[in-house]
Amino acid sequence: VEGIVDPRYYTEAGRVRGTFVHKAVKLLALGRLKWETVDPRILGHVQAYEKFVSETGFQATEVEQPIYHTAYRYAVTPAQVGLMRGKITIPEFKTGILPSWVRLQTAAQAMAKYPDDWLGINRMGVELHALGLLDSHVDTALRSIVPPLAEAA
């Protein structure tokens, strides 16, 4: 995303790692991951996702489903949409430090999926670290500055 993503913090190796972690996490969420097929270089990241699910109770209801926002004419593909503690949640998984633009990414995903109630959706960035550790950050920062945009839809 030109002007939003700072290329100094984006590497080809990170992109490849993220692609493979997303594929493994998708299979795990769908109950089809064969652990013996997971490359040791991404194993910790996938275990961090498993830890996220077990610690939060997150249950994916949709995995990698493309969505089109008809009013603003853009498409997004959230990694997952699901329930966490009874509330609709859109987590965005990263294998590195969460970039600041994740809040824009999850806002766009929530707006496309739930155009009439996107401000009420839990959005969060989740860092899946190589050693099986995780950090998660619930994003509420945009709720106070974006309502006029929602009214324009």
Side-chain angles (χ1 to χ4, degrees), residues 11-72:
T11 66
E12 183 61 17
R15 185 195 68 77
V16 170
R17 178 186 64 229
T19 297
F20 284 107
V21 170
H22 265 266
K23 287 180 181 185
V25 163
K26 176 181 179 178
L27 290 171
L28 183 55
L30 295 172
R32 299 194 318 237
L33 179 69
K34 295 182 176 143
W35 283 99
E36 66 275 9
T37 66
V38 178
D39 187 300
R41 294 173 289 187
I42 65 164
L43 180 61
H45 298 287
V46 181
Q47 289 170 328
Y49 169 78
E50 187 177 46
K51 184 176 181 180
F52 165 75
V53 170
S54 70
E55 287 184 2
T56 65
F58 177 77
Q59 296 176 306
T61 55
E62 295 179 26
V63 179
E64 306 266 347
Q65 295 294 314
I67 307 165
Y68 179 71
H69 194 296
T70 55
Y72 292 121

Side-chain angles (χ1 to χ4, degrees), residues 5 49 55-56 58 63 85 100 104 106 114 119 128 137:
V5 178
Y49 169 78
E55 287 184 2
T56 65
F58 177 77
V63 179
R85 299 180 184 105
S100 60
L104 300 175
T106 58
Y114 304 99
L119 289 171
L128 303 176
H137 307 274

Side-chain angles (χ1 to χ4, degrees), residues 67-143:
I67 307 165
Y68 179 71
H69 194 296
T70 55
Y72 292 121
R73 301 174 64 169
Y74 68 87
V76 293
T77 304
Q80 297 180 14
V81 176
L83 294 173
M84 189 168 70
R85 299 180 184 105
K87 189 151 172 59
I88 297 170
T89 302
I90 299 177
E92 180 57 37
F93 304 108
K94 301 295 183 193
T95 59
I97 295 171
L98 285 177
S100 60
W101 50 261
V102 165
R103 63 181 42 167
L104 300 175
Q105 182 179 12
T106 58
Q109 293 166 347
M111 286 175 69
K113 179 73 178 159
Y114 304 99
D116 296 326
D117 187 33
W118 70 275
L119 289 171
I121 304 304
N122 270 354
R123 305 178 350 253
M124 61 189 315
V126 182
E127 296 175 3
L128 303 176
H129 297 286
L131 298 176
L133 304 173
L134 65 102
D135 267 326
S136 60
H137 307 274
V138 176
D139 183 18
T140 56
L142 290 181
R143 292 185 184 177

